[in-house]
Amino acid sequence: MVAMYVATVPNRNSPPAILLRESYREAGKVKNRTLANLSHWPPEKLEALSRVLKGLAPKVELAEAFEIERSLPHGHVAAVLGTLRQLGLEELIDPRPSRSRDLVTAMVVHQVIEPSSKLGCARALRDKTATSSLGTLLSLGGCDEDDLYEAMDYVLARQGAIEAALAAAHLSSGTLVLYDVSSAAFEGRTCPLGALGHARDGVHGRCQIVYGLLCTPRGIPVAIEVFPGNTGDPATVAAQVNKLKQRFGLSHICLVGDRGMLTKARLDKDVGPAELDWITALRAPQIKALVESGALQLSLFDEQNLLEITHPDYPGERLMCCRNPTLATERARKREELLKATEAELDKIVAATTRPRRPLCGKDAIALRVGRVINSRKVAKHFVLEIGEDSLTWRRDEAKIAAQAARDGIYVIRTSLSASSLEADEVVLSYKGLEDVERFFRGVNAELDIRPIRHRLADRVRAHVLLAMLSYYVSWHIKQRLAPVLFYDDDRDAAKAKRSDVVAPAQRSDTALKKAATKTTADGEAVQSFLSLLRDLGTVCANHIRPGDPDAPGFVMVTTPTLSQRRAFELLGVSHRLGYS
């Protein structure tokens, strides 16, 4: 039997000799012989050889044993993709798995976690330029922007089936359906949908598209449709009526829309013939007419904020008259600010007519300056003006101001529903539910970056907006589940109990107020916004690791979540190791 070992032989006045020796038996005796002098070897090399000769694994530093080749942000992808799959959105897009469906899924998830152009999305999915684990999880490492454009055409062809499935899941006969319209600025002038029109998103002087959204009373988006940018709100109603009755097959529904959309013409021509019930509101001139005719007596609001009346001009309708004191105070404040600002500008014009050098003169010239001032703030009706050839005098029309002030905070909601179908309080709350639709528009225009729209083909624009709606559908559910750790009110029942009446402004629960004040949850963790929480979850990475041994296979290790990140995944019911378990 032969055994090798490393021996250290001391020298009196010199460093010890390090020898590689061999031990063997000969004629029943144990003998040793030196095979090599290893004194010039470094200590770590000698230690490694000694361990091997003893039958032990070589001792190496951990930093040398593994190499992290790449770390891809993964936690936010796991949260969004996991929730999307829990909602069954992949099967809703198409029951049959396919690469096109995976590409659509990737665009929906990417729109939530990192909104960008389709070119940017394609780069983020490719293996070499990936900015997250999304492309790896969906096996899309070789896609390009042309693949995404083909997937957009694919999902647009399935829009009807997708919306029908959403309607079946969230709408039923006898329910309320909220509808509103917004617009988004458009890049370029080659798309037939792009046109100048009323800029609902505040971006003026640029081509735009108009899109209308149908959603549930809770604000869950169900269907969306794109119209040319110069389409008026009322002109979009007929398409929605057809969608609800024909495509979704709902036998009895109530359409809720604002006063600028559900006009008398639309109610008579589109909504009424389809036998739909509806909830909308009166315009300011109509309310004024009710007050002046005595049908609506303002003194009745001294002891109540909500009263129901009928009127011959609105046969078969119920009118819910509301007065919001908070809104009345705010409107009075704004009106006074506008009046004072206008008076300051009018005084400047008066001074211009009396200055010694080159005074402003001429009735037409003075009237032109005055018109620009009073019309810019829409307060012309509140002033009495006397314009001469070289003079201007003005005063407030206190009678008209007082008459308008008496109607401050008053709005009237009209509906075709009977009292047995929906009580007055519920009608008011249903109309106020349009705030959820407006919140959607703020979300897709700001949070989800529906702007800018760079597509040139009309169908690509429609597909772009559909993907935005689907991504918001996912993020809506994520926000509901993560409400305890976000700046959202997760105790709606308590908030509703704090409200004095349905006309009064909505209240936040004590839990939500405490979160806003302390910026911490009940568990002491920091409260975050939705986007900041996604960024935080993105620090949970999928680390691709290569062992030091070239023959050993590589593997992926997912970062261990922090306490707050673990809490978020628990609320979502999603594993942070999604795709790597």
Side-chain angles (χ1 to χ4, degrees):
M1 181 176 180
V2 178
M4 289 189 294
Y5 62 96
V6 176
T8 301
V9 180
N11 289 329
R12 289 185 178 181
N13 299 318
S14 301
I18 310 298
L19 306 176
L20 176 62
R21 286 186 168 178
E22 183 180 60
S23 175
Y24 62 96
R25 282 182 178 273
E26 187 176 301
K29 295 183 179 180
V30 178
K31 296 185 177 182
N32 298 284
R33 58 173 173 244
T34 300
L35 301 178
N37 188 341
L38 307 179
S39 301
H40 61 286
W41 278 27
E44 60 273 12
K45 192 173 181 179
L46 290 171
E47 174 67 15
L49 177 61
S50 178
R51 291 180 65 84
V52 170
L53 295 177
K54 292 177 182 179
L56 302 175
K59 183 178 180 181
V60 296
E61 293 294 330
L62 188 60
E64 298 177 358
F66 302 98
E67 179 182 355
I68 300 178
E69 290 185 308
R70 196 171 191 185
S71 293
L72 292 175
H74 170 71
H76 55 345
V77 174
V80 178
L81 181 59
T83 303
L84 180 148
R85 287 175 171 170
Q86 286 181 350
L87 296 172
L89 193 58
E90 285 181 314
E91 290 74 18
L92 187 145
I93 293 170
D94 194 340
R96 297 165 298 180
S98 64
R99 178 174 172 81
S100 294
R101 190 182 79 171
D102 290 339
L103 287 167
V104 172
T105 300
M107 286 188 284
V108 170
V109 174
H110 185 79
Q111 183 76 358
V112 178
I113 65 175
E114 190 182 349
S116 66
S117 65
K118 299 304 177 287
L119 176 60
C121 179
R123 289 173 177 170
L125 294 174
R126 284 197 287 267
D127 289 334
K128 293 183 179 180
T129 56
T131 57
S132 72
S133 62
L134 181 58
T136 302
L137 296 183
L138 295 174
S139 302
L140 300 175
C143 73
D144 58 22
E145 56 272 21
D146 291 331
D147 295 325
L148 297 185
Y149 290 140
E150 290 178 5
M152 292 175 70
D153 298 337
Y154 155 87
V155 74
L156 184 64
R158 296 196 52 77
Q159 180 172 359
I162 293 170
E163 292 178 343
L166 288 174
H170 300 289
L171 299 177
S172 60
S173 293
T175 190
L176 298 175
V177 181
L178 308 184
Y179 177 65
D180 206 351
V181 171
S182 188
S183 62
F186 191 86
E187 300 295 323
R189 296 182 177 273
T190 58
C191 178
L193 291 174
L196 294 175
H198 173 57
R200 301 160 186 83
D201 62 348
V203 181
H204 300 278
R206 285 164 56 185
C207 287
Q208 64 177 22
I209 60 167
V210 170
Y211 55 100
L213 172 78
L214 288 170
C215 73
T216 72
R218 295 183 62 200
I220 302 175
V222 171
I224 199 164
E225 188 164 352
V226 179
F227 303 92
N230 55 2
T231 305
D233 292 2
T236 68
V237 174
Q240 310 314 312
V241 171
N242 177 69
K243 187 179 298 184
L244 292 168
K245 295 288 289 187
Q246 304 299 325
R247 285 174 47 191
F248 298 164
L250 299 175
S251 59
H252 181 72
I253 54 176
C254 179
L255 185 63
V256 184
D258 67 27
R259 68 197 76 189
M261 185 179 343
L262 295 184
T263 61
K264 184 179 186 302
R266 297 280 71 78
L267 295 176
D268 294 341
K269 183 178 179 181
D270 301 321
V271 181
E275 299 181 349
L276 296 183
D277 283 312
W278 46 267
I279 298 175
T280 186
L282 296 183
R283 293 174 175 269
Q286 294 171 312
I287 297 175
K288 180 181 178 182
L290 287 176
V291 173
E292 292 178 347
S293 68
L296 176 56
Q297 299 179 23
L298 300 181
S299 60
L300 295 176
F301 289 117
D302 293 341
E303 297 187 8
Q304 57 185 331
N305 290 329
L306 172 62
L307 55 99
E308 181 177 334
I309 65 172
T310 58
H311 194 272
D313 290 346
Y314 307 95
E317 299 181 22
R318 297 160 60 207
L319 304 179
M320 268 58 65
C321 306
C322 310
R323 184 179 186 277
N324 186 334
T326 303
L327 180 60
T329 302
E330 179 63 15
R331 286 184 175 173
R333 182 190 64 80
K334 287 185 177 179
R335 180 172 52 250
E336 185 62 25
E337 288 182 354
L338 292 173
L339 291 174
K340 288 183 177 180
T342 303
E343 288 172 348
E345 295 296 325
L346 290 176
D347 285 339
K348 292 180 181 179
I349 298 176
V350 172
T353 62
T354 58
R355 62 194 175 201
R357 296 186 59 187
R358 302 183 63 184
L360 178 65
C361 59
K363 194 171 185 178
D364 291 342
I366 297 174
L368 185 62
R369 289 275 299 272
V370 171
R372 283 200 296 263
V373 170
I374 61 176
N375 292 328
S376 64
R377 298 182 177 89
K378 299 180 180 179
V379 292
K381 58 188 175 183
H382 294 321
F383 287 94
V384 177
L385 304 169
E386 294 182 7
I387 302 175
E389 287 296 329
D390 56 1
S391 65
L392 167 67
T393 59
W394 60 266
R395 61 181 174 83
R396 289 189 182 188
D397 192 332
E398 298 294 349
K400 289 185 178 179
I401 294 175
Q404 187 185 64
R407 299 191 299 272
D408 282 348
I410 294 177
Y411 56 94
V412 179
I413 298 173
R414 57 190 296 204
T415 181
S416 63
L417 288 169
S418 64
S420 60
S421 300
L422 207 63
E423 295 183 356
D425 288 3
E426 295 172 325
V427 172
V428 175
L429 288 176
S430 299
Y431 185 77
K432 288 189 173 185
L434 282 172
E435 296 172 358
D436 289 324
V437 188
E438 294 170 355
R439 195 173 297 115
F440 164 82
F441 290 133
R442 290 194 296 271
V444 294
N445 279 340
E447 185 176 297
L448 293 181
D449 286 345
I450 196 172
R451 299 188 305 256
I453 302 172
R454 300 186 176 90
H455 301 287
R456 298 182 179 181
L457 302 180
D459 281 349
R460 294 279 168 79
V461 174
R462 293 187 177 98
H464 173 83
V465 175
L466 173 62
L467 290 172
M469 188 200 79
L470 293 177
S471 63
Y472 188 82
Y473 178 83
V474 176
S475 64
W476 186 94
H477 286 87
I478 293 176
K479 291 173 184 177
Q480 299 303 307
R481 299 179 185 184
L482 294 179
V485 296
L486 299 177
F487 285 104
Y488 291 124
D489 197 339
D490 55 317
D491 194 352
R492 296 293 182 88
D493 292 336
K496 188 180 297 184
K498 291 180 64 177
R499 200 172 192 170
S500 58
D501 58 64
V502 295
V503 180
Q507 299 292 319
R508 304 187 70 187
S509 68
D510 293 339
T511 302
L513 293 174
K514 185 176 180 181
K515 282 197 301 185
T518 63
K519 306 298 187 294
T520 57
T521 66
D523 300 328
E525 295 291 335
V527 182
Q528 301 190 61
S529 69
F530 176 63
L531 293 181
S532 67
L533 180 57
L534 283 183
R535 287 193 295 267
D536 182 32
L537 294 178
T539 62
V540 176
C541 294
N543 302 290
H544 294 251
I545 298 174
R546 182 179 65 187
D549 183 355
D551 296 327
F555 58 94
V556 176
M557 180 174 288
V558 180
T559 307
T560 301
T562 63
L563 289 176
S564 60
Q565 291 169 339
R566 188 177 298 117
R567 170 66 170 156
F569 285 117
E570 289 173 353
L571 290 171
L572 292 173
V574 172
S575 171
H576 71 285
R577 293 182 54 81
L578 180 76
Y580 295 106
S581 55

